[in-house]
Amino acid sequence: IRHRIKPPHQCYACKNGISAVPANAHRHTCVTIHAGNKESTSVRVNTNLDQPALTRSESHVDPSGMGVGLTANVTIDEKTTLTTECCNLTGKYRLVHNHNFDPFLKTQNVPMLIRKAACASRPIHTITHNGNTLRIQVDGITKGDTTFIINGPPSESNIRHLKFEDHVTYAQNGSAIQVRKVGQNTPKNAAAELIITRKLGNNGHNLLLASRARFHDGSESLEAVQTFHRIPS
């Protein structure tokens, strides 16, 4: 699987951590092999790179400690298509619980009175998820109506006086949608990037919204998790 690369061409998914890579010649592939009676699964993706297909063999040590080695031969072909099933977040959800939300806002230098109001608020999020189009409508002390294109070009957004460039992708093997808000004019004492992940829980009855901040020195804030309950549309 070709992993996301962000300027200046740093891959956050390399085995050894953040690595500098060529802009147009970096790819990853991921194969999951289940031992025992479980079926093996494979993923084919569009690499979207104008380079010849390549094959490589990788060996992995069984993490269970049983000493079983796993070897996979992986071929990456051009213009293959994704066959994994991704989540669909369509629904109407009301916030019912906050965890670490106030500390998260504090790291963004949000004033105390605004933090208290935000923590006490119970907004409703209405999500329309159709293919790669994701529309999020917010009805609360703040209102919003934003449409994203998943895996599409970045869009611009604002939080107070700060400008962000939003990158939207599927995450966690397609079970979640992640919005990376990359600051364009954030000061050194503010977050350089906000990472917001949405996924369903409790058999689709809950929407879980996890938020964290990454700062200019590479450190990260506590992760705030907000739990929403699905309500009738």
Side-chain angles (χ1 to χ4, degrees), residues 110 124-125:
V110 177
I124 293 174
H125 289 196

Side-chain angles (χ1 to χ4, degrees), residues 34-107:
H34 298 282
N37 295 324
K38 295 184 179 180
E39 296 182 356
S40 298
T41 59
S42 63
V43 178
R44 295 174 64 80
V45 300
N46 185 351
T47 63
N48 204 25
L49 294 177
D50 296 327
Q51 295 185 4
L54 61 88
T55 301
R56 74 167 179 266
S57 176
E58 296 183 353
S59 296
H60 304 274
V61 177
D62 180 13
S64 66
M66 298 175 64
V68 179
L70 303 178
T71 302
N73 290 320
V74 180
T75 302
I76 307 176
D77 300 311
E78 294 184 15
K79 298 181 181 179
T80 53
T81 57
L82 183 67
T83 60
T84 54
E85 184 176 352
C86 296
C87 63
N88 189 304
L89 302 185
T90 296
K92 192 172 185 178
Y93 310 90
R94 184 191 301 275
L95 177 64
V96 295
H97 180 70
N98 289 320
H99 177 70
N100 282 338
F101 192 49
D102 183 75
F104 170 75
L105 294 177
K106 191 173 182 179
T107 64

Side-chain angles (χ1 to χ4, degrees), residues 11 16 107 148 168 174 177 188:
C11 179
N16 297 323
T107 64
F148 300 105
V168 186
I177 295 177
K188 292 297 183 181

Side-chain angles (χ1 to χ4, degrees), residues 136-201:
I136 302 176
Q137 298 165 276
V138 178
D139 186 8
I141 57 173
T142 60
K143 298 182 183 295
D145 190 342
T146 307
T147 299
F148 300 105
I149 302 300
I150 304 170
N151 293 324
S155 57
E156 294 183 355
S157 64
N158 295 279
I159 300 178
R160 296 182 289 167
H161 60 285
L162 301 178
K163 296 180 180 180
F164 292 88
E165 192 174 75
D166 297 344
H167 303 255
V168 186
T169 59
Y170 286 104
Q172 301 177 20
N173 296 322
S175 66
I177 295 177
Q178 185 177 90
V179 179
R180 290 176 44 250
K181 303 178 75 68
V182 181
Q184 302 300 296
N185 65 337
T186 55
K188 292 297 183 181
N189 63 340
E193 182 178 349
L194 301 176
I195 303 164
I196 303 166
T197 305
R198 293 175 174 88
K199 66 182 297 183
L200 297 178

